Amino acid sequence: MTSLVDGDITVRAGVRDIARARERFGDGIEYAEFDFQRPETWGAAFDGIDALFLIRPPTIGRVKRHITPAIDAAARMGVEHVVFLSVLGAERNPILPHRRIEAHLRDADVNYTFLRASFFMQNLAEVHREAIAERDEIFVPAGNGKTSFVDARDIGAAAAVALTGPGHENRAYDITGPAAFDYATVAEIFSDVLDRPIGYANPSIPAFVRRLRAEGQPLAFVLVMVGIYTIARLGFAGRVSRDVEALIGREPIPLERFVADYADAFESAQAE
Ligand SMILES: NC(=O)c1ccc[n+]([C@@H]2O[C@H](COP(=O)([O-])OP(=O)(O)OC[C@H]3O[C@@H](n4cnc5c(N)ncnc54)[C@H](OP(=O)(O)O)[C@@H]3O)[C@@H](O)[C@H]2O)c1
């Protein structure tokens, strides 16, 4: 199964703003109010749930205060299996909160599956969209390092399989796209698919920090970005795995198709 909503499984989304989520995802699923920072929301959200897809919001740094207690509450409420969206290389990087969450899940009274995802292609259509659409450039300090970009739609498909299929308990998967590219090549792919020249600015890390701060981005966000692109710059983001194909039974989505599918997002608002 690569989609939960098409099957006979009841899906409940735990979200902070139910009205906003319903507007986006429709009436085909249940909604429960859920906020990692408001434990009073946890009980009703976990009630009757067998398996949980756990996403740690990047803004929550205090894992022991907000994430691991929620995992323990889920286990107490009878959740049997937690599929956790982790990060590629989490097992080797002690700084990452994901590693602490993985360690907690291994010891908790639940089965776990770790989906250790590479960099989402969708970041290019969100955080970097404006630079691409309005300035025809990709502005990230990743040097010549390669990244094994994965389409978030494939992460959803892999999560659906891990949540519902047999044999994924207490296992870890590396969730990557089909190939790794440096950003000069990413810019070439964008240029080919969008049919206009897109450049790779390859800024230094100080120049990147200066630009994002001048745009008014919060320092904490800028530092997370620097961490992510430093990992790519050092060559640690390029590992390609076949785990997605093994899980979902087809090739993961290539970067070319992502750019074509999201082409509208990369059009300038100034274009006629
Ligand atoms: N982006 C990547 O390339 C990438 C790659 C590998 C792994 N990851 C990991 O994937 C996870 C998600 O990353 P992302 O980039 O998708 O983050 P994101 O776009 O910022 O999404 C975070 C989500 O968490 C929700 N949220 C925020 N605070 C919450 C709270 N207190 N309680 C409940 N929900 C809350 C947000 O909901 P609202 O809509 O209510 O704000 C939003 O849906 C992170 O752990 C990240 O490290 C990301």
Side-chain angles (χ1 to χ4, degrees):
M1 172 176 292
T2 54
S3 168
L4 291 178
V5 283
D6 301 334
D8 54 4
I9 289 164
T10 304
V11 177
R12 181 184 302 161
V15 295
R16 293 189 293 182
D17 185 337
I18 291 179
R20 196 156 58 93
R22 196 187 296 281
E23 204 172 292
R24 194 157 173 211
F25 302 113
D27 286 323
I29 59 171
E30 293 182 7
Y31 295 93
E33 190 184 359
F34 178 83
D35 188 330
F36 282 105
Q37 291 171 302
R38 292 177 53 229
E40 65 273 23
T41 63
W42 300 350
F46 294 144
D47 190 25
I49 294 292
D50 302 315
L52 178 71
F53 183 44
L54 175 68
I55 301 177
R56 169 215 154 235
T59 44
I60 296 193
R62 298 170 78 180
V63 162
K64 282 201 174 140
R65 178 146 184 198
H66 299 298
I67 310 286
T68 56
I71 292 169
D72 295 341
R76 280 195 304 275
M77 294 289 297
V79 171
E80 292 165 3
H81 185 187
V82 175
V83 176
F84 171 50
L85 177 56
S86 188
V87 175
L88 194 67
E91 71 280 16
R92 294 190 303 273
N93 189 339
I95 302 169
L96 287 175
H98 306 77
R99 180 154 129 166
R100 299 198 293 279
I101 297 169
E102 288 191 4
H104 189 83
L105 279 165
R106 283 184 204 278
D107 292 339
D109 195 14
V110 287
N111 290 312
Y112 63 82
T113 308
F114 302 147
L115 301 182
R116 293 180 179 141
S118 189
F119 188 89
F120 302 173
M121 294 177 188
Q122 276 73 8
N123 296 335
L124 296 163
E126 292 174 8
V127 182
H128 304 300
R129 191 201 65 78
E130 198 181 334
I132 297 170
E134 305 304 338
R135 295 191 292 277
D136 292 334
E137 69 173 9
I138 299 175
F139 194 84
V140 297
N144 301 320
K146 289 188 175 181
T147 298
S148 53
F149 298 89
V150 62
D151 193 306
R153 294 171 291 183
D154 284 339
I155 302 177
V161 171
L163 284 163
T164 57
H168 304 299
E169 291 85 358
N170 307 327
R171 298 191 59 178
Y173 299 101
D174 287 341
I175 304 297
T176 77
F181 303 108
D182 60 29
Y183 277 88
T185 309
V186 173
E188 281 171 22
I189 291 172
F190 268 79
S191 306
D192 284 350
V193 177
L194 300 179
D195 201 20
R196 68 178 203 271
I198 306 290
Y200 171 39
N202 195 4
S204 66
I205 287 173
F208 178 75
V209 171
R210 274 197 304 276
R211 161 88 74 96
L212 267 69
R213 291 296 282 156
E215 287 172 1
Q217 300 286 1
L219 184 60
F221 172 80
V222 176
L223 293 178
V224 169
M225 291 287 113
V226 167
I228 288 170
Y229 294 112
T230 301
I231 288 171
R233 200 179 180 97
L234 296 174
F236 295 133
R239 189 147 46 89
V240 174
S241 134
R242 309 306 303 174
D243 287 355
V244 169
E245 190 175 354
L247 278 166
I248 68 178
R250 62 161 170 77
E251 277 271 313
I253 295 169
L255 188 60
E256 290 83 349
R257 189 172 131 211
F258 162 80
V259 181
D261 288 350
Y262 284 71
D264 287 353
F266 301 116
E267 287 305 317
S268 166
Q270 317 303 323
E272 297 190 7

Short mmCIF file of all heavy atoms in Angstrom, two decimals, residues 4-57:
data_model
loop_
_atom_site.label_atom_id
_atom_site.label_comp_id
_atom_site.label_asym_id
_atom_site.label_seq_id
_atom_site.Cartn_x
_atom_site.Cartn_y
_atom_site.Cartn_z
N LEU A 4 -2.51 5.71 2.39
CA LEU A 4 -3.38 5.23 3.47
C LEU A 4 -4.83 5.59 3.21
O LEU A 4 -5.73 4.84 3.57
CB LEU A 4 -2.94 5.87 4.79
CG LEU A 4 -1.61 5.41 5.35
CD1 LEU A 4 -1.31 6.17 6.63
CD2 LEU A 4 -1.64 3.92 5.62
N VAL A 5 -5.07 6.75 2.58
CA VAL A 5 -6.44 7.23 2.49
C VAL A 5 -7.28 6.43 1.49
O VAL A 5 -8.50 6.45 1.55
CB VAL A 5 -6.52 8.73 2.14
CG1 VAL A 5 -6.21 9.57 3.35
CG2 VAL A 5 -5.62 9.09 0.99
N ASP A 6 -6.62 5.67 0.56
CA ASP A 6 -7.39 4.89 -0.41
C ASP A 6 -7.80 3.53 0.15
O ASP A 6 -8.57 2.80 -0.47
CB ASP A 6 -6.58 4.67 -1.70
CG ASP A 6 -6.21 6.00 -2.32
OD1 ASP A 6 -6.95 6.97 -2.08
OD2 ASP A 6 -5.19 6.07 -3.02
N GLY A 7 -7.25 3.14 1.30
CA GLY A 7 -7.53 1.81 1.82
C GLY A 7 -8.67 1.83 2.83
O GLY A 7 -9.42 2.81 2.93
N ASP A 8 -8.82 0.72 3.57
CA ASP A 8 -9.91 0.68 4.54
C ASP A 8 -9.39 0.95 5.96
O ASP A 8 -9.96 0.51 6.94
CB ASP A 8 -10.62 -0.68 4.47
CG ASP A 8 -9.66 -1.82 4.62
OD1 ASP A 8 -8.46 -1.55 4.86
OD2 ASP A 8 -10.09 -2.98 4.49
N ILE A 9 -8.30 1.72 6.02
CA ILE A 9 -7.71 2.07 7.31
C ILE A 9 -8.21 3.45 7.73
O ILE A 9 -8.33 4.34 6.89
CB ILE A 9 -6.18 2.08 7.16
CG1 ILE A 9 -5.69 0.63 7.01
CG2 ILE A 9 -5.49 2.76 8.32
CD1 ILE A 9 -4.30 0.52 6.50
N THR A 10 -8.53 3.59 9.00
CA THR A 10 -8.91 4.92 9.48
C THR A 10 -7.65 5.73 9.78
O THR A 10 -6.77 5.26 10.50
CB THR A 10 -9.77 4.81 10.75
OG1 THR A 10 -10.88 3.98 10.46
CG2 THR A 10 -10.24 6.17 11.23
N VAL A 11 -7.56 6.90 9.19
CA VAL A 11 -6.39 7.77 9.38
C VAL A 11 -6.81 8.96 10.21
O VAL A 11 -7.83 9.60 9.93
CB VAL A 11 -5.86 8.26 8.01
CG1 VAL A 11 -4.69 9.21 8.21
CG2 VAL A 11 -5.46 7.08 7.13
N ARG A 12 -6.02 9.26 11.24
CA ARG A 12 -6.29 10.45 12.06
C ARG A 12 -5.05 11.35 12.02
O ARG A 12 -3.94 10.88 12.30
CB ARG A 12 -6.59 10.05 13.50
CG ARG A 12 -6.90 11.25 14.39
CD ARG A 12 -7.11 10.83 15.85
NE ARG A 12 -8.18 9.85 15.99
CZ ARG A 12 -8.34 9.05 17.06
NH1 ARG A 12 -7.50 9.13 18.07
NH2 ARG A 12 -9.33 8.20 17.11
N ALA A 13 -5.22 12.59 11.66
CA ALA A 13 -4.11 13.54 11.65
C ALA A 13 -4.13 14.33 12.94
O ALA A 13 -5.15 14.94 13.29
CB ALA A 13 -4.22 14.48 10.46
N GLY A 14 -3.02 14.32 13.67
CA GLY A 14 -2.89 15.13 14.88
C GLY A 14 -2.26 16.46 14.50
O GLY A 14 -1.09 16.50 14.10
N VAL A 15 -3.03 17.52 14.58
CA VAL A 15 -2.57 18.83 14.09
C VAL A 15 -2.92 19.92 15.10
O VAL A 15 -3.84 19.77 15.89
CB VAL A 15 -3.21 19.17 12.72
CG1 VAL A 15 -2.76 18.20 11.64
CG2 VAL A 15 -4.74 19.18 12.81
N ARG A 16 -2.20 21.05 14.98
CA ARG A 16 -2.49 22.16 15.91
C ARG A 16 -3.74 22.92 15.48
O ARG A 16 -4.46 23.43 16.33
CB ARG A 16 -1.29 23.11 15.96
CG ARG A 16 -0.08 22.45 16.60
CD ARG A 16 1.01 23.46 16.85
NE ARG A 16 1.58 23.97 15.60
CZ ARG A 16 2.58 24.82 15.54
NH1 ARG A 16 3.11 25.25 16.67
NH2 ARG A 16 3.06 25.24 14.39
N ASP A 17 -3.97 23.00 14.19
CA ASP A 17 -5.08 23.82 13.69
C ASP A 17 -5.96 22.95 12.78
O ASP A 17 -5.65 22.76 11.60
CB ASP A 17 -4.50 25.02 12.92
CG ASP A 17 -5.57 26.00 12.46
OD1 ASP A 17 -6.74 25.58 12.32
OD2 ASP A 17 -5.22 27.16 12.22
N ILE A 18 -7.04 22.41 13.36
CA ILE A 18 -7.86 21.45 12.61
C ILE A 18 -8.50 22.10 11.39
O ILE A 18 -8.52 21.52 10.30
CB ILE A 18 -8.94 20.84 13.54
CG1 ILE A 18 -8.26 19.94 14.59
CG2 ILE A 18 -9.96 20.03 12.74
CD1 ILE A 18 -9.19 19.30 15.58
N ALA A 19 -9.00 23.33 11.54
CA ALA A 19 -9.70 23.97 10.41
C ALA A 19 -8.75 24.12 9.22
O ALA A 19 -9.10 23.83 8.08
CB ALA A 19 -10.25 25.33 10.85
N ARG A 20 -7.51 24.56 9.51
CA ARG A 20 -6.53 24.76 8.44
C ARG A 20 -6.17 23.43 7.77
O ARG A 20 -6.07 23.32 6.55
CB ARG A 20 -5.28 25.43 9.01
CG ARG A 20 -4.37 26.03 7.97
CD ARG A 20 -3.52 27.15 8.57
NE ARG A 20 -2.72 26.69 9.69
CZ ARG A 20 -1.45 26.25 9.58
NH1 ARG A 20 -0.86 26.22 8.41
NH2 ARG A 20 -0.78 25.86 10.64
N ALA A 21 -6.01 22.38 8.61
CA ALA A 21 -5.66 21.06 8.05
C ALA A 21 -6.81 20.51 7.20
O ALA A 21 -6.58 19.96 6.12
CB ALA A 21 -5.33 20.10 9.19
N ARG A 22 -8.05 20.71 7.68
CA ARG A 22 -9.20 20.18 6.93
C ARG A 22 -9.32 20.89 5.56
O ARG A 22 -9.60 20.25 4.55
CB ARG A 22 -10.49 20.38 7.74
CG ARG A 22 -11.65 19.54 7.23
CD ARG A 22 -12.93 19.89 7.95
NE ARG A 22 -12.92 19.60 9.37
CZ ARG A 22 -13.12 18.38 9.91
NH1 ARG A 22 -13.34 17.36 9.12
NH2 ARG A 22 -13.10 18.22 11.20
N GLU A 23 -9.03 22.17 5.58
CA GLU A 23 -9.08 22.93 4.32
C GLU A 23 -8.07 22.35 3.32
O GLU A 23 -8.33 22.25 2.13
CB GLU A 23 -8.70 24.38 4.63
CG GLU A 23 -9.22 25.38 3.64
CD GLU A 23 -8.95 26.78 4.16
OE1 GLU A 23 -9.56 27.19 5.17
OE2 GLU A 23 -8.09 27.42 3.57
N ARG A 24 -6.93 21.93 3.85
CA ARG A 24 -5.86 21.43 2.98
C ARG A 24 -6.07 19.98 2.56
O ARG A 24 -5.84 19.62 1.42
CB ARG A 24 -4.54 21.57 3.75
CG ARG A 24 -3.36 21.43 2.88
CD ARG A 24 -2.13 22.08 3.46
NE ARG A 24 -1.01 21.75 2.61
CZ ARG A 24 0.22 21.60 3.03
NH1 ARG A 24 0.51 21.80 4.30
NH2 ARG A 24 1.18 21.29 2.20
N PHE A 25 -6.52 19.12 3.51
CA PHE A 25 -6.53 17.68 3.24
C PHE A 25 -7.94 17.10 3.07
O PHE A 25 -8.09 15.92 2.78
CB PHE A 25 -5.78 16.93 4.34
CG PHE A 25 -4.36 17.38 4.48
CD1 PHE A 25 -3.93 18.05 5.62
CD2 PHE A 25 -3.45 17.17 3.45
CE1 PHE A 25 -2.62 18.48 5.74
CE2 PHE A 25 -2.13 17.59 3.57
CZ PHE A 25 -1.72 18.26 4.71
N GLY A 26 -8.97 17.91 3.29
CA GLY A 26 -10.33 17.44 3.01
C GLY A 26 -10.94 16.61 4.12
O GLY A 26 -10.39 16.50 5.23
N ASP A 27 -12.08 15.98 3.80
CA ASP A 27 -12.87 15.29 4.81
C ASP A 27 -12.64 13.78 4.84
O ASP A 27 -13.33 13.06 5.55
CB ASP A 27 -14.37 15.56 4.57
CG ASP A 27 -14.73 16.98 4.99
OD1 ASP A 27 -14.17 17.46 6.00
OD2 ASP A 27 -15.55 17.61 4.29
N GLY A 28 -11.68 13.30 4.05
CA GLY A 28 -11.47 11.84 3.96
C GLY A 28 -10.76 11.23 5.15
O GLY A 28 -10.62 10.01 5.22
N ILE A 29 -10.30 12.05 6.08
CA ILE A 29 -9.61 11.52 7.27
C ILE A 29 -10.18 12.18 8.53
O ILE A 29 -10.89 13.17 8.44
CB ILE A 29 -8.08 11.77 7.21
CG1 ILE A 29 -7.77 13.28 7.09
CG2 ILE A 29 -7.45 11.02 6.05
CD1 ILE A 29 -6.29 13.60 7.24
N GLU A 30 -9.84 11.59 9.70
CA GLU A 30 -10.23 12.21 10.98
C GLU A 30 -9.17 13.23 11.39
O GLU A 30 -8.02 13.14 10.97
CB GLU A 30 -10.25 11.15 12.09
CG GLU A 30 -11.32 10.10 11.97
CD GLU A 30 -11.28 9.13 13.16
OE1 GLU A 30 -10.51 9.34 14.14
OE2 GLU A 30 -12.01 8.16 13.10
N TYR A 31 -9.57 14.16 12.22
CA TYR A 31 -8.61 15.13 12.76
C TYR A 31 -8.72 15.16 14.28
O TYR A 31 -9.81 15.00 14.83
CB TYR A 31 -8.90 16.54 12.22
CG TYR A 31 -8.69 16.63 10.73
CD1 TYR A 31 -9.75 16.44 9.84
CD2 TYR A 31 -7.42 16.87 10.20
CE1 TYR A 31 -9.56 16.48 8.48
CE2 TYR A 31 -7.22 16.92 8.83
CZ TYR A 31 -8.28 16.72 7.97
OH TYR A 31 -8.09 16.76 6.61
N ALA A 32 -7.57 15.33 14.93
CA ALA A 32 -7.57 15.53 16.39
C ALA A 32 -6.61 16.67 16.68
O ALA A 32 -5.57 16.79 16.02
CB ALA A 32 -7.10 14.26 17.10
N GLU A 33 -6.96 17.49 17.65
CA GLU A 33 -6.03 18.54 18.04
C GLU A 33 -4.83 17.88 18.71
O GLU A 33 -4.98 17.01 19.58
CB GLU A 33 -6.71 19.51 19.02
CG GLU A 33 -5.86 20.73 19.25
CD GLU A 33 -6.45 21.66 20.28
OE1 GLU A 33 -7.55 21.38 20.80
OE2 GLU A 33 -5.79 22.67 20.56
N PHE A 34 -3.62 18.26 18.26
CA PHE A 34 -2.41 17.69 18.86
C PHE A 34 -1.30 18.75 18.84
O PHE A 34 -1.02 19.34 17.80
CB PHE A 34 -1.92 16.46 18.10
CG PHE A 34 -0.65 15.90 18.68
CD1 PHE A 34 -0.70 15.04 19.76
CD2 PHE A 34 0.59 16.28 18.18
CE1 PHE A 34 0.48 14.57 20.34
CE2 PHE A 34 1.77 15.81 18.75
CZ PHE A 34 1.70 14.94 19.83
N ASP A 35 -0.71 18.97 20.02
CA ASP A 35 0.40 19.93 20.11
C ASP A 35 1.44 19.31 21.05
O ASP A 35 1.12 18.99 22.20
CB ASP A 35 -0.12 21.27 20.66
CG ASP A 35 0.94 22.37 20.59
OD1 ASP A 35 2.14 22.05 20.68
OD2 ASP A 35 0.54 23.54 20.46
N PHE A 36 2.66 19.13 20.56
CA PHE A 36 3.72 18.57 21.40
C PHE A 36 3.92 19.39 22.67
O PHE A 36 4.37 18.86 23.68
CB PHE A 36 5.05 18.53 20.63
CG PHE A 36 5.15 17.39 19.65
CD1 PHE A 36 5.03 17.61 18.29
CD2 PHE A 36 5.38 16.09 20.09
CE1 PHE A 36 5.13 16.56 17.38
CE2 PHE A 36 5.48 15.03 19.20
CZ PHE A 36 5.36 15.28 17.83
N GLN A 37 3.61 20.69 22.60
CA GLN A 37 3.85 21.55 23.75
C GLN A 37 2.64 21.67 24.68
O GLN A 37 2.67 22.42 25.64
CB GLN A 37 4.30 22.94 23.27
CG GLN A 37 5.69 22.84 22.65
CD GLN A 37 6.12 24.12 21.96
OE1 GLN A 37 5.47 24.60 21.04
NE2 GLN A 37 7.24 24.65 22.40
N ARG A 38 1.56 20.91 24.35
CA ARG A 38 0.37 20.93 25.21
C ARG A 38 -0.05 19.49 25.50
O ARG A 38 -0.91 18.91 24.83
CB ARG A 38 -0.76 21.70 24.52
CG ARG A 38 -0.42 23.22 24.41
CD ARG A 38 -1.50 24.00 23.68
NE ARG A 38 -2.80 23.77 24.26
CZ ARG A 38 -3.89 23.45 23.54
NH1 ARG A 38 -3.82 23.28 22.23
NH2 ARG A 38 -5.03 23.26 24.13
N PRO A 39 0.56 18.87 26.53
CA PRO A 39 0.31 17.46 26.83
C PRO A 39 -1.17 17.14 27.03
O PRO A 39 -1.58 16.00 26.84
CB PRO A 39 1.10 17.21 28.13
CG PRO A 39 2.12 18.28 28.17
CD PRO A 39 1.57 19.46 27.44
N GLU A 40 -1.97 18.15 27.37
CA GLU A 40 -3.40 17.89 27.56
C GLU A 40 -4.08 17.50 26.25
O GLU A 40 -5.21 16.99 26.27
CB GLU A 40 -4.09 19.11 28.20
CG GLU A 40 -4.12 20.39 27.39
CD GLU A 40 -2.88 21.28 27.57
OE1 GLU A 40 -1.82 20.75 27.96
OE2 GLU A 40 -2.97 22.50 27.31
N THR A 41 -3.43 17.71 25.11
CA THR A 41 -4.02 17.30 23.82
C THR A 41 -3.67 15.86 23.45
O THR A 41 -4.26 15.30 22.53
CB THR A 41 -3.54 18.22 22.65
OG1 THR A 41 -2.11 18.06 22.49
CG2 THR A 41 -3.86 19.68 22.91
N TRP A 42 -2.70 15.25 24.14
CA TRP A 42 -2.15 13.98 23.68
C TRP A 42 -3.13 12.81 23.83
O TRP A 42 -3.24 11.96 22.94
CB TRP A 42 -0.86 13.62 24.42
CG TRP A 42 0.25 14.63 24.24
CD1 TRP A 42 0.27 15.69 23.38
CD2 TRP A 42 1.48 14.67 24.96
NE1 TRP A 42 1.44 16.39 23.51
CE2 TRP A 42 2.20 15.80 24.47
CE3 TRP A 42 2.05 13.89 25.97
CZ2 TRP A 42 3.46 16.13 24.96
CZ3 TRP A 42 3.30 14.22 26.45
CH2 TRP A 42 4.00 15.34 25.96
N GLY A 43 -3.82 12.75 24.97
CA GLY A 43 -4.65 11.58 25.29
C GLY A 43 -5.71 11.34 24.22
O GLY A 43 -5.82 10.23 23.67
N ALA A 44 -6.50 12.37 23.90
CA ALA A 44 -7.57 12.19 22.92
C ALA A 44 -7.00 11.89 21.54
O ALA A 44 -7.57 11.10 20.76
CB ALA A 44 -8.44 13.44 22.87
N ALA A 45 -5.83 12.50 21.22
CA ALA A 45 -5.24 12.27 19.89
C ALA A 45 -4.78 10.82 19.74
O ALA A 45 -4.91 10.23 18.66
CB ALA A 45 -4.08 13.23 19.67
N PHE A 46 -4.25 10.22 20.81
CA PHE A 46 -3.71 8.85 20.72
C PHE A 46 -4.76 7.78 20.98
O PHE A 46 -4.51 6.59 20.74
CB PHE A 46 -2.57 8.65 21.73
CG PHE A 46 -1.33 9.48 21.46
CD1 PHE A 46 -0.59 10.00 22.50
CD2 PHE A 46 -0.90 9.70 20.15
CE1 PHE A 46 0.56 10.76 22.26
CE2 PHE A 46 0.24 10.45 19.90
CZ PHE A 46 0.97 10.98 20.96
N ASP A 47 -5.92 8.17 21.46
CA ASP A 47 -6.93 7.19 21.85
C ASP A 47 -7.35 6.31 20.66
O ASP A 47 -7.77 6.82 19.63
CB ASP A 47 -8.15 7.94 22.41
CG ASP A 47 -9.14 6.99 23.05
OD1 ASP A 47 -8.72 5.90 23.49
OD2 ASP A 47 -10.34 7.33 23.11
N GLY A 48 -7.21 5.00 20.80
CA GLY A 48 -7.65 4.06 19.76
C GLY A 48 -6.70 3.90 18.60
O GLY A 48 -7.02 3.23 17.62
N ILE A 49 -5.51 4.50 18.69
CA ILE A 49 -4.55 4.45 17.57
C ILE A 49 -3.64 3.21 17.71
O ILE A 49 -3.12 2.94 18.78
CB ILE A 49 -3.68 5.73 17.58
CG1 ILE A 49 -4.53 6.96 17.28
CG2 ILE A 49 -2.52 5.63 16.62
CD1 ILE A 49 -5.08 7.04 15.89
N ASP A 50 -3.44 2.46 16.60
CA ASP A 50 -2.55 1.29 16.61
C ASP A 50 -1.12 1.66 16.23
O ASP A 50 -0.16 1.13 16.78
CB ASP A 50 -3.05 0.23 15.62
CG ASP A 50 -4.47 -0.20 15.92
OD1 ASP A 50 -4.75 -0.44 17.11
OD2 ASP A 50 -5.29 -0.27 14.99
N ALA A 51 -1.01 2.51 15.21
CA ALA A 51 0.32 2.83 14.67
C ALA A 51 0.40 4.34 14.43
O ALA A 51 -0.57 4.97 13.99
CB ALA A 51 0.57 2.08 13.37
N LEU A 52 1.57 4.89 14.71
CA LEU A 52 1.74 6.34 14.71
C LEU A 52 2.88 6.73 13.78
O LEU A 52 3.95 6.13 13.83
CB LEU A 52 2.08 6.75 16.15
CG LEU A 52 2.36 8.19 16.48
CD1 LEU A 52 1.07 9.01 16.41
CD2 LEU A 52 2.94 8.29 17.90
N PHE A 53 2.66 7.76 12.94
CA PHE A 53 3.74 8.34 12.14
C PHE A 53 4.19 9.59 12.88
O PHE A 53 3.43 10.55 13.01
CB PHE A 53 3.24 8.68 10.74
CG PHE A 53 4.30 9.22 9.82
CD1 PHE A 53 5.56 8.63 9.76
CD2 PHE A 53 4.06 10.31 9.00
CE1 PHE A 53 6.55 9.12 8.91
CE2 PHE A 53 5.03 10.81 8.15
CZ PHE A 53 6.28 10.21 8.10
N LEU A 54 5.42 9.57 13.36
CA LEU A 54 5.92 10.63 14.24
C LEU A 54 6.85 11.57 13.47
O LEU A 54 7.86 11.13 12.90
CB LEU A 54 6.70 10.00 15.41
CG LEU A 54 7.41 10.95 16.37
CD1 LEU A 54 6.42 11.78 17.18
CD2 LEU A 54 8.33 10.16 17.31
N ILE A 55 6.47 12.86 13.44
CA ILE A 55 7.32 13.90 12.84
C ILE A 55 7.70 14.87 13.95
O ILE A 55 6.82 15.43 14.62
CB ILE A 55 6.56 14.66 11.73
CG1 ILE A 55 6.11 13.71 10.63
CG2 ILE A 55 7.44 15.77 11.17
CD1 ILE A 55 5.29 14.39 9.53
N ARG A 56 8.99 15.06 14.13
CA ARG A 56 9.43 16.04 15.14
C ARG A 56 9.53 17.41 14.48
O ARG A 56 10.29 17.59 13.54
CB ARG A 56 10.80 15.64 15.67
CG ARG A 56 11.44 16.71 16.50
CD ARG A 56 12.94 16.75 16.33
NE ARG A 56 13.44 18.08 16.61
CZ ARG A 56 14.18 18.80 15.77
NH1 ARG A 56 14.51 18.34 14.61
NH2 ARG A 56 14.58 19.99 16.12
N PRO A 57 8.73 18.37 14.96
CA PRO A 57 8.83 19.72 14.36
C PRO A 57 10.23 20.27 14.56
O PRO A 57 10.78 20.18 15.66
CB PRO A 57 7.80 20.54 15.16
CG PRO A 57 6.90 19.54 15.80
CD PRO A 57 7.74 18.33 16.05
#
